[in-house]
Amino acid sequence: METLIRVLKEQWIRAKYERQEFMAEGKTVSLPGNREGFLWKRGRDNAQFLRRRFVLLTREGLLKYYTKEEGKGPKAVISIKDLNATFQTEKIGHPHGLQVTYRREGRTRNLFVYHESGKEIVDWFNALRAARLQYLKMAFPEFPESELVPFITRNYLKQGYMEKTGPKQREPFKKRWFALDPQERRLLYYKNPLDAFEQGQVFLGSKEQGYEVYEDLPKGIRGNRWKAGLTIVTPERRFIFTCASEKEQREWLESLRDVLSCPLSPLHLLSEKQGLGVVLLAEGRKGFLHLGSAVKPQSPLCFPWPSFCQGKIQTLHITARKSPRPKFL
């Protein structure tokens, strides 16, 4: 968050006093629309930053990028519906670094990009936010813009290294990079901070559903190098971690408890405004999967059923809140 504020503040000052972008008399600055340009993107396999052409189509709700300037189709077509963008300058190692994430086949795909110009990367960030806002306004036309703004983009609540053991809790502790997404209630972990995909994730439900986080390790379990432990308890299993210091342990505990104390649905703001809020969770062999929310009482209760869930679902959990007019139930 501090990095994001610093980058935006620097570019706002330059825009006002150096480029005088707010000084045009009688002109209205319009929201960013379609955008096209080149960014340096980190390769998925070779870890090199290469120049790639990006195209944002706001009306279509798509972001595309190309490995060749001309003659071939896009390398990836990304839906704005699942997109997030956040400044990650320290992780990427560049003062104008941006992390773009989206859902791909049930996993989180990370793109790490930067531009030499701070203005250019901030303009891209604002264009992506504007496209996301337009999508939300179309998807939820009954809500004022002020209530949709918190869902445009999001930052990780905490990131850093911890060590984890496996499901049997007899496996060796291995060092992994963790990122806590509070809005989607997921703790993702990676072998390295700049990996394209996560190795796994832990869904964080609510305390009422039996999710808890405890200080220290269960009796009989010892960490490898790090001794400051914490345990996440879910309805299916325990996840055991160790931190490099007691300070890191306290920060992780506080962040995890903040998420567990919030309402279940990541769209709780929208659910509270509607007559019915439904959260669908599929409980499989590897934990809980948040499939989606139905928040329109006038619509059928329809949810996407990802192909990767077939044959893996054991139990379906549906929680609903009645409205004063339950005629649609």
Side-chain angles (χ1 to χ4, degrees):
M1 179 62 73
E2 292 179 359
T3 300
L4 170 61
I5 293 173
R6 184 173 64 251
V7 173
L8 292 176
K9 183 178 180 181
E10 174 189 348
Q11 291 306 313
W12 184 88
I13 292 172
R14 289 182 176 180
K16 181 175 181 179
Y17 296 107
E18 293 180 11
R19 300 189 294 268
Q20 297 185 342
E21 293 179 0
F22 309 126
M23 302 302 180
E25 295 182 2
K27 293 183 179 180
T28 302
V29 180
S30 60
L31 289 174
N34 292 349
R35 186 173 183 83
E36 181 175 345
F38 289 90
L39 298 172
W40 292 92
K41 174 190 167 293
R42 188 177 190 273
R44 171 181 171 180
D45 300 317
N46 59 20
Q48 295 180 342
F49 281 90
L50 300 174
R51 194 168 180 260
R52 297 292 184 243
R53 182 166 69 96
F54 283 78
V55 177
L56 174 63
L57 303 174
T58 301
R59 183 179 293 273
E60 292 84 353
L62 298 174
L63 174 68
K64 304 179 181 181
Y65 77 86
Y66 299 78
T67 56
K68 302 294 183 181
E69 294 188 17
E70 296 180 358
K72 288 189 176 181
K75 176 69 173 179
V77 179
I78 304 165
S79 171
I80 292 295
K81 173 180 179 292
D82 301 317
L83 182 141
N84 185 54
T86 176
F87 286 102
Q88 296 290 329
T89 60
E90 294 181 4
K91 184 194 294 187
I92 296 173
H94 194 281
H96 308 141
L98 194 68
Q99 179 177 347
V100 178
T101 63
Y102 62 96
R103 301 293 290 171
R104 177 177 166 184
E105 297 178 352
R107 302 177 69 191
T108 299
R109 175 70 164 102
N110 299 306
L111 301 180
F112 300 99
V113 299
Y114 74 85
H115 197 279
E116 298 90 340
S117 165
K119 177 184 183 303
E120 184 71 13
I121 203 67
V122 169
D123 287 347
W124 269 104
F125 177 72
N126 288 333
L128 292 172
R129 282 180 57 84
R132 277 279 301 162
L133 178 59
Q134 178 167 311
Y135 158 74
L136 290 171
K137 290 168 72 172
M138 293 177 62
F140 304 101
E142 62 271 32
F143 299 107
E145 183 175 312
S146 60
E147 295 187 2
L148 297 174
V149 167
F151 298 99
I152 297 177
T153 52
R154 61 192 184 275
N155 293 309
Y156 293 115
L157 185 58
K158 182 168 175 58
Q159 298 183 85
Y161 282 107
M162 290 192 289
E163 290 188 341
K164 69 176 290 294
T165 185
K168 295 180 181 180
Q169 301 172 8
R170 295 190 296 269
E171 300 87 345
F173 279 80
K174 295 181 179 180
K175 186 178 179 181
R176 295 290 182 259
W177 177 267
F178 288 82
L180 178 57
D181 184 334
Q183 197 176 106
E184 294 197 351
R185 309 183 72 98
R186 293 182 297 145
L187 178 65
L188 303 101
Y189 58 90
Y190 305 82
K191 188 174 183 180
N192 299 296
L194 297 178
D195 285 349
F197 291 97
E198 79 274 24
Q199 285 195 327
Q201 58 180 272
V202 181
F203 176 78
L204 301 171
S206 65
K207 290 183 178 180
E208 291 74 17
Q209 292 182 312
Y211 291 82
E212 291 283 354
V213 58
Y214 297 105
E215 184 178 350
D216 217 342
L217 303 175
K219 186 177 181 180
I221 296 179
R222 298 181 61 185
N224 184 15
R225 296 176 301 162
W226 298 342
K227 307 305 179 185
L230 60 90
T231 303
I232 297 177
V233 178
T234 76
E236 285 208 330
R237 58 165 285 194
R238 297 182 302 184
F239 294 86
I240 299 172
F241 311 94
T242 57
C243 305
S245 66
E246 292 184 357
K247 177 178 179 294
E248 278 290 300
Q249 179 196 44
R250 289 194 300 270
E251 291 178 359
W252 276 111
L253 284 168
E254 180 181 350
S255 299
L256 290 165
R257 285 167 177 164
D258 284 346
V259 175
L260 293 178
S261 65
C262 291
L264 176 65
S265 172
L267 293 178
H268 61 86
L269 177 61
L270 301 179
S271 298
E272 288 172 358
K273 289 292 184 179
Q274 293 285 3
L276 175 66
V278 176
V279 177
L280 186 61
L281 297 174
E283 183 182 0
R285 289 186 290 272
K286 294 187 178 181
F288 282 84
L289 173 67
H290 180 211
L291 296 180
S293 300
V295 295
K296 291 188 176 182
Q298 67 271 25
S299 305
L301 300 183
C302 298
F303 296 88
W305 193 264
S307 59
F308 63 87
C309 293
Q310 295 178 4
K312 301 179 181 179
I313 303 304
Q314 296 174 334
T315 308
L316 199 61
H317 295 261
I318 300 179
T319 62
R321 180 190 301 119
K322 288 184 178 181
S323 76
R325 295 177 298 170
K327 60 184 181 180
F328 50 86
L329 288 177

